[in-house]
Amino acid sequence: MFGRFTIEALIHGPIVLTTQIFIVVIILAVVGVLFYTKRWKWLWKNWLTTVDPKKIGILYIIFAGIMLLRGFADAILMRTQQAAAIGASDGFLTANHFAQIFTAHGTIMIFFVATPLMIGLMNYIVPLQIGSRDVAFPFLNSLSFWLTAGGGMLVMLALVVGDFAPSGWVGYPPLSELAYSPGVGVDYWIWALQLSGIGTTLTGVNMIATIFKMRAPGMTLMRMPIYTWTVLVTAIMIIFAFPILTATLGMLSLDRIIGAHFFTSGFGGNMMMYINLIWAWGHPEVYILVLPAYGVWSEIVATFSRKNLFGYTSMVFATAAIAIFSFIVWLHHFFTMGSSANVMAFFGIMTMIIAIPTGVKIFNWIFTMYRGRIKYTSLMYWFLGFVFTFTIGGMTGVMLANPAIDFQVHDSLFLVAHFHNMAIGGVLFGYMAGFVYWFPKIFGFKLDEKWSTRSVWGWVVGFWVAFGPLYILGFMGATRRMYDYGAGQGWGWLFIIAGIGVVIIAYGIFSQIMMLIVGIKHRKEKEYRDADGDPWDGRTLEWSLPSPVPEYAFDTIPRVYGRDAFWYKKYGDRNAYEKTEQTDIHMPKNTSLGFVISGFAFVCAFAIIWHIWWLALVTLIACIVLLVVRACDDDREYVLTKEEVAEMEARARGKQYA
Amino acid sequence: MNGVTICEWMIDTISDWVVTHFALFFPAGSIAEAEGRLIIVVFLLMLIVVVPVFILTAYFAWHYRESNTKATYTPKWDTSIPHEVVWWSVPVAIVFVLSIIAWNAAHDLDPYKAIESPNEPVVIQTISLRWKWLFIYPSERIATVNSITIPENTPVIFRITSDAPMNSFWMPEIAGMIMNMPGMITELNVIVPERGTYVGMSSNYSGEGFAGMDFKIHVVSREAYQSWAKMTQMSGQALDFHKYQKLAEPSKKVPAEHYRLAARKLFRYVVMKYMMPGIDSPKDLHGEGDMKLPVRSGGEMKMEEKRQEPGTSQEAEAPMGGMIMQVPIMKMKP
């Protein structure tokens, strides 16, 4: 009846018990607040059933923020453990607990922080940048978010009900197979990734259709903002790469559920196949994460240098080149698996070739600053922190690309430092800067600049204090994922410095929370309020809209005659774009199906994990039936008449100037 | 103590510490030394790009700030073929040089590449268990746990597999790492010109006892090695199949042990049990003991007889590279 679920799954040690109590208290608090403020209907109508990409974007970003706290807590635990394990001590975490923590940390940061942060910004900003009101498939968009949230909830649930996987964020067999991990942990991991992976794939589909089919008249591909270009290329990469993940995890779950032998140690299974497949997805995945961040940097540098982005065409070309090459380098993740020298040299050379278009981008950004007139806000400080940090990370990447060097640093702390260098310095900095950059457009007021600048310092200095020692440890022959290490190695003091780095990053996060609080507190004051929708003297179409953006976004779809049309219109060229005639606007209706189907999918995944087969079947059928119901639903729109729109627009603009 | 002596003392202490701890830059093995030099060379080449990026970024960020009204401002300047040519072609040139370096290094430092030396190689079969290392010396007919003794200046050929989840065999002061996988054999060729004691570990997470999988490598003179091998052969406990089964049970932080080898087909059994049904002990290896295994050699497959004759060393000619894949001949047990 309950599969392999028993009450034992809820019983763990004191640390987990504290977390369980904490989670229950938070849930009760949220439920209490909702009852007290009578906001259940508001929550349902405005957030749970919305198909508005602006709201879905905000949901993604809030979700990413919450998961960042959990992932960061995992990081604190790991750093503290490794600092405490100095000398003869072996710290305060068991080896198994440490393994679950490092697996959860990687899984959460990649799938439930970086990806939703990226997709959240995409959802809000891309339609506005191309002069569209919505994405191509609003319902699919809602489904994408709620599936991702469902996946995240599985990881959170694993903390308190059962165990999580001990096999790392990519889950190599045979450790992730039944023989060595018979429990529920690896299954939690598989299904969390399957749900969110489907969500991401659907987002890829959505973005491609939106960008190809819904641009404003006159906006050719080469007149699009560069951020939208990076999103387009990324979306194409998503639909090529993510199916590999779905299929590979599907095969692993067949191994675990019906005893298949795709990747097992015996009976014809081949773990090398898993490693190849997972990295054939995994490498494009990391470029998927970073390319839109490059787009954000392009927007920021051009805007704050008050100058055209240098080399737009070659930026587009470089982005496409990076995307294509990212699919033919995957073997560099396992140079140590024993391929022939020819194979390894090929993949090493291909990997180094990607450094060329990346370097071109960096020079293009630098020469955007050249002969510009740079306005220094926290966004430019973010950019400078990024250039310094990311360039060094790229250099260590080229070192790793040499197979013979990799033989000595693969799976060492040098590698860990490198990928955090790219993931934090490139991806996270990019989306955190994007958050600050576009925040006024989304909410109508700027974040506190002083605290935002302090957060840059916290993150950049904190990153180097936390990960610089790891580069050094790598050169000392320290391997990764060790909860304890020998007393005589001489590594302890470096782990302590790394622990201090985490404290400095915590200050960075604290500053980000403060910039929100202070911004919210002063939001109606002149220095913070976004009075005209254009707080940064922006260049692209989203800055022509009121802040916050009304539900229909554009009261009339503009007709565009060039790149950076908004900027040129402001500075002399009145024909850069024009407003077309006002018409009635057809808006998609809210629907609960995205939320509900994802709820069933979540329960289905839970049932599969715990082998509650009847429940899995019932919920799976429910998902399919509801999808068919949605497909047959013809009543999906409501109309805003042009008078209603004109009134709403006047109010939105009026509120700004009031 | 005068100032000069304190300075000298500080420099000595720091450089001693650096030399002892930076395994990758001050290694003992020849392979590791070549790999360490590569790191420095690649790093220096990359500086050709990184240093101008830092200088230009810092200078432009400062010079073109808003408050510097004397700086030129050209808001529409966004194309320049000469500039683009420079920063496409310089990285291309550097990557070209790095590619040649990578190609050569991948071939010269290929773990499967036999090391040329007038001395006869020593073969060590390496099995990663949960959570320790078993090393079998087929010619010397001894075995050790969590400890290796090898002669200086002699090529050592490690044949590597796993009877546990995947691990990765790493001796940072001697050579790069290579993975251990159940049912497969990988290979690592090393040579160590310096005597001494070095540390090795697993570098692929394999479960709870992973962190305790460090082992020692003792590099001794050739004479000392011969006498050590003979002594262990005569005096050690027997490693037979029964003892092996006990050893394979999960245990952590196992201290070094020495055995004489009483089950000569042990390594082959460990590999084959994952490859064919019905192999529950070395006794079940019938003709498979003499099976021809394909061996990769410089890119082409060639078949080679693999037989464990007593007294001879494993290889007459060492294969030049590649992973030895098992091609099971489908003989089903009745």
Side-chain angles (χ1 to χ4, degrees):
Chain A
M1 168 75 180
F2 289 116
R4 52 179 174 169
F5 178 78
T6 63
I7 282 297
E8 252 97 63
L10 290 165
I11 300 177
H12 301 274
I15 298 181
V16 177
L17 180 62
T18 319
T19 321
Q20 286 166 320
I21 297 176
F22 185 65
I23 290 177
V24 169
V25 164
I26 298 237
I27 294 178
L28 288 175
V30 169
V31 167
V33 165
L34 283 170
F35 268 119
Y36 183 75
T37 53
K38 298 204 216 303
R39 286 222 167 195
W40 287 103
K41 222 174 163 171
W42 168 86
L43 184 71
W44 180 258
K45 194 163 161 287
N46 281 287
W47 296 102
L48 301 185
T49 60
T50 183
V51 294
D52 180 353
K54 301 188 286 302
K55 293 230 173 79
I56 292 177
I58 295 173
L59 283 170
Y60 265 113
I61 294 175
I62 293 176
F63 174 72
I66 296 172
M67 297 303 274
L68 175 65
L69 295 176
R70 161 76 202 272
F72 187 62
D74 286 331
I76 294 176
L77 282 170
M78 285 192 285
R79 279 284 131 259
T80 313
Q81 162 67 20
Q82 288 188 315
I86 190 171
S89 159
D90 59 358
F92 61 96
L93 291 172
T94 63
N96 185 282
H97 201 173
F98 185 77
Q100 292 184 41
I101 290 174
F102 68 66
T103 306
H105 170 80
T107 306
I108 289 174
M109 291 303 202
I110 298 270
F111 291 98
F112 302 109
V113 175
T115 306
L117 207 42
M118 163 180 86
I119 296 182
L121 286 173
M122 274 185 198
N123 264 297
Y124 203 106
I125 301 300
V126 166
L128 305 184
Q129 284 200 332
I130 60 174
S132 165
R133 294 196 169 102
D134 205 331
V135 294
F137 306 115
F139 161 69
L140 221 56
N141 206 10
S142 150
L143 187 63
S144 292
F145 170 71
W146 290 110
L147 280 174
T148 304
M153 284 307 105
L154 278 175
V155 177
M156 297 299 249
L157 199 59
L159 180 61
V160 293
V161 182
D163 283 313
F164 196 57
S167 38
W169 80 280
V170 275
Y172 281 5
L175 187 60
S176 56
E177 293 276 5
L178 282 175
Y180 297 111
S181 295
V184 292
V186 176
D187 297 293
Y188 265 118
W189 173 78
I190 289 176
W191 292 102
L193 265 57
Q194 291 288 54
L195 288 185
S196 64
I198 294 174
T200 305
T201 310
L202 295 175
T203 297
V205 168
N206 227 333
M207 287 295 148
I208 295 174
T210 307
I211 295 174
F212 276 134
K213 301 300 265 178
M214 295 176 74
R215 280 167 286 131
M219 184 174 282
T220 60
L221 286 173
M222 293 307 271
R223 287 179 182 169
M224 293 197 304
I226 192 79
Y227 174 68
T228 303
W229 254 116
T230 57
V231 170
L232 175 62
V233 171
T234 302
I236 296 175
M237 289 172 74
I238 287 175
I239 61 171
F240 275 98
F242 268 79
I244 304 176
L245 178 71
T246 311
T248 309
L249 292 179
M251 287 188 272
L252 184 63
S253 55
L254 283 176
D255 275 2
R256 292 180 62 85
I257 296 175
I258 64 170
H261 289 287
F262 287 103
F263 311 122
T264 52
S265 301
F267 294 98
N270 192 333
M271 66 207 72
M272 297 194 293
M273 185 61 157
Y274 178 93
I275 292 180
N276 272 277
L277 285 171
I278 205 76
W279 285 115
W281 161 80
H283 193 80
E285 159 72 355
V286 304
Y287 282 97
I288 287 166
L289 288 176
V290 85
L291 284 182
Y294 290 161
V296 172
W297 295 124
S298 296
E299 300 284 0
I300 287 179
V301 156
T303 302
F304 291 95
S305 303
R306 313 273 191 81
K307 188 160 160 279
N308 290 4
L309 178 70
F310 185 91
Y312 178 97
T313 309
S314 71
M315 285 297 234
V316 171
F317 180 69
T319 308
I322 293 173
I324 293 172
F325 273 99
S326 74
F327 278 90
I328 53 175
V329 298
W330 76 89
L331 197 129
H332 71 231
H333 294 272
F334 46 95
F335 277 140
T336 58
M337 203 157 76
S339 317
S340 79
N342 289 344
V343 167
M344 300 219 263
F346 169 81
F347 279 99
I349 294 171
M350 285 298 130
T351 307
M352 289 193 279
I353 291 178
I354 298 191
I356 300 171
T358 312
V360 163
K361 278 180 173 272
I362 296 196
F363 283 109
N364 282 2
W365 287 322
I366 293 176
F367 277 83
T368 305
M369 288 197 294
Y370 174 75
R371 294 201 175 161
R373 220 175 40 190
I374 306 175
K375 183 170 171 37
Y376 274 101
T377 58
S378 60
L379 272 352
M380 273 313 278
Y381 300 133
W382 270 122
F383 174 71
L384 294 174
F386 154 74
V387 171
F388 171 69
T389 306
F390 193 74
T391 307
I392 296 181
M395 173 170 70
T396 58
V398 172
M399 289 161 74
L400 284 156
N402 187 313
I405 295 180
D406 191 64
F407 291 155
Q408 279 285 54
V409 290
H410 176 68
D411 265 354
S412 71
L413 290 176
F414 182 88
L415 174 79
V416 171
H418 161 75
F419 64 68
H420 280 92
N421 207 336
M422 310 312 263
I424 297 180
V427 176
L428 199 58
F429 284 6
Y431 297 134
M432 295 196 297
F435 175 73
V436 174
Y437 179 58
W438 279 307
F439 188 91
K441 178 54 54 194
I442 301 176
F443 290 105
F445 59 94
K446 287 197 231 177
L447 293 165
D448 183 71
E449 268 291 296
K450 236 192 314 172
W451 280 105
S452 183
T453 305
R454 286 179 189 151
S455 75
V456 179
W457 281 108
W459 271 101
V460 175
V461 172
F463 169 80
W464 282 107
V465 176
F467 289 96
L470 263 58
Y471 275 124
I472 299 173
L473 280 164
F475 289 139
M476 292 167 78
T479 203
R480 70 191 287 205
R481 295 175 170 167
M482 283 194 161
Y483 87 109
D484 186 19
Y485 45 91
Q489 302 273 46
W491 297 346
W493 64 282
L494 285 163
F495 280 120
I496 291 179
I497 297 180
I500 296 173
V502 167
V503 173
I504 302 176
I505 294 180
Y507 172 72
I509 295 181
F510 170 74
S511 304
Q512 288 170 311
I513 297 174
M514 285 306 291
M515 78 183 176
L516 267 162
I517 294 179
V518 174
I520 292 173
K521 183 155 164 252
H522 295 285
R523 68 187 180 279
K524 300 215 168 90
E525 292 166 29
K526 191 159 156 288
E527 296 85 46
Y528 293 82
R529 201 159 68 100
D530 180 2
D532 57 0
D534 186 17
W536 311 117
D537 199 14
R539 310 178 67 87
T540 41
L541 279 180
E542 74 267 28
W543 304 108
S544 70
L545 297 173
S547 302
V549 178
E551 65 181 279
Y552 49 82
F554 290 89
D555 63 334
T556 71
I557 301 291
R559 176 169 284 117
V560 163
Y561 294 104
R563 216 177 279 161
D564 286 348
F566 179 64
W567 170 270
Y568 280 100
K569 185 158 189 157
K570 278 191 293 183
Y571 289 100
D573 180 3
R574 269 177 297 139
N575 297 324
Y577 73 95
E578 64 196 14
K579 296 184 122 206
T580 54
E581 237 185 65
Q582 289 215 328
T583 57
D584 290 344
I585 299 180
H586 292 254
M587 299 285 293
K589 273 192 184 168
N590 278 4
T591 170
S592 62
L593 284 178
F595 179 68
V596 171
I597 293 177
S598 300
F600 279 118
F602 170 78
V603 175
C604 182
F606 184 86
I608 296 177
I609 291 168
W610 290 98
H611 295 181
I612 310 174
W613 303 121
W614 63 267
L615 185 57
L617 188 62
V618 162
T619 45
L620 182 62
I621 292 174
C623 289
I624 297 174
V625 163
L626 288 174
L627 280 170
V628 172
V629 161
R630 170 68 191 184
C632 299
D633 184 359
D634 286 328
D635 175 26
R636 305 187 190 191
E637 291 184 342
Y638 67 96
V639 174
L640 290 174
T641 62
K642 50 179 185 266
E643 292 77 25
E644 278 173 312
V645 171
E647 192 197 341
M648 291 166 82
E649 182 74 7
R651 251 188 296 131
R653 297 255 178 217
K655 246 201 299 206
Q656 302 201 290
Y657 301 124
Chain B
M1 287 236 265
N2 61 38
V4 175
T5 324
I6 296 180
C7 266
E8 277 174 5
W9 174 84
M10 267 176 56
I11 293 175
D12 277 337
T13 317
I14 295 177
S15 55
D16 271 341
W17 188 88
V18 165
V19 169
T20 359
H21 286 88
F22 279 86
L24 265 60
F25 294 129
F26 300 98
S30 308
I31 305 282
E33 215 187 297
E35 286 161 353
R37 277 199 302 266
L38 263 176
I39 296 178
I40 307 285
V41 165
V42 171
F43 174 75
L44 291 175
L45 276 168
M46 286 305 294
L47 287 183
I48 299 177
V49 172
V50 171
V51 169
V53 164
F54 284 172
I55 295 177
L56 285 174
T57 307
Y59 177 66
F60 291 170
W62 175 79
H63 181 78
Y64 292 105
R65 65 195 186 283
E66 214 176 9
S67 52
N68 183 7
T69 47
K70 282 183 281 149
T72 322
Y73 175 45
T74 55
K76 290 196 190 161
W77 183 80
D78 61 9
T79 331
S80 163
I81 305 292
H83 283 81
E84 295 248 25
V85 165
V86 169
W87 62 68
W88 278 95
S89 56
V90 170
V92 165
I94 298 178
V95 167
F96 184 70
V97 171
L98 286 171
S99 300
I100 298 179
I101 294 177
W103 179 275
N104 288 336
H107 286 84
D108 293 338
L109 300 172
D110 183 351
Y112 287 76
K113 180 157 175 278
I115 293 179
E116 289 178 10
S117 163
N119 295 321
E120 278 287 301
V122 170
V123 175
I124 303 181
Q125 295 164 336
T126 307
I127 306 176
S128 64
L129 300 169
R130 280 195 289 173
W131 282 282
K132 57 249 173 212
W133 297 91
L134 174 63
F135 302 102
I136 298 174
Y137 298 66
S139 310
E140 290 78 353
R141 290 206 263 142
I142 56 179
T144 57
V145 169
N146 277 350
S147 167
I148 303 177
T149 305
I150 52 177
E152 60 178 342
N153 266 318
T154 311
V156 181
I157 307 175
F158 291 94
R159 296 257 156 74
I160 299 163
T161 189
S162 181
D163 197 1
M166 208 185 302
N167 276 281
S168 191
F169 180 61
W170 193 26
M171 307 174 288
E173 290 161 294
I174 293 179
M177 69 188 78
I178 190 150
M179 287 182 180
N180 304 53
M181 291 176 280
M184 316 205 190
I185 305 178
T186 50
E187 188 176 301
L188 180 65
N189 284 266
V190 309
I191 188 166
V192 189
E194 278 175 49
R195 286 182 223 174
T197 303
Y198 309 103
V199 173
M201 68 199 86
S202 174
S203 63
N204 186 295
Y205 185 76
S206 55
E208 276 187 33
F210 165 73
M213 279 178 82
D214 39 90
F215 60 95
K216 289 252 181 0
I217 306 110
H218 306 279
V219 183
V220 299
S221 71
R222 296 174 55 74
E223 299 76 36
Y225 172 73
Q226 297 293 350
S227 49
W228 169 81
K230 276 209 194 68
M231 255 191 10
T232 314
Q233 223 292 313
M234 291 190 295
S235 65
Q237 348 156 34
L239 178 67
D240 56 9
F241 178 60
H242 179 69
K243 182 83 182 115
Y244 173 76
Q245 285 179 305
K246 289 261 261 320
L247 205 53
E249 281 165 29
S251 59
K252 302 185 196 172
K253 293 209 172 107
V254 177
E257 291 167 11
H258 295 79
Y259 298 90
R260 63 180 164 80
L261 187 63
R264 266 190 280 125
K265 286 191 190 163
L266 198 52
F267 183 73
R268 179 161 295 263
Y269 152 73
V270 163
V271 175
M272 290 311 292
K273 74 181 203 184
Y274 290 106
M275 278 294 123
M276 289 188 60
I279 300 196
D280 302 313
S281 88
K283 288 206 207 53
D284 299 326
L285 294 169
H286 296 303
E288 293 86 348
D290 294 348
M291 192 165 77
K292 289 194 168 89
L293 296 174
V295 171
R296 186 159 46 102
S297 168
E300 3 147 341
M301 302 280 270
K302 77 173 190 228
M303 305 302 260
E304 185 190 285
E305 283 288 318
K306 282 202 103 25
R307 227 168 310 198
Q308 302 218 11
E309 300 292 320
T312 55
S313 82
Q314 192 81 318
E315 296 312 310
E317 348 119 357
M320 275 222 354
M323 170 146 56
I324 304 177
M325 287 282 284
Q326 303 304 312
V327 175
I329 297 168
M330 282 308 174
K331 268 194 238 169
M332 302 300 287
K333 271 177 70 79

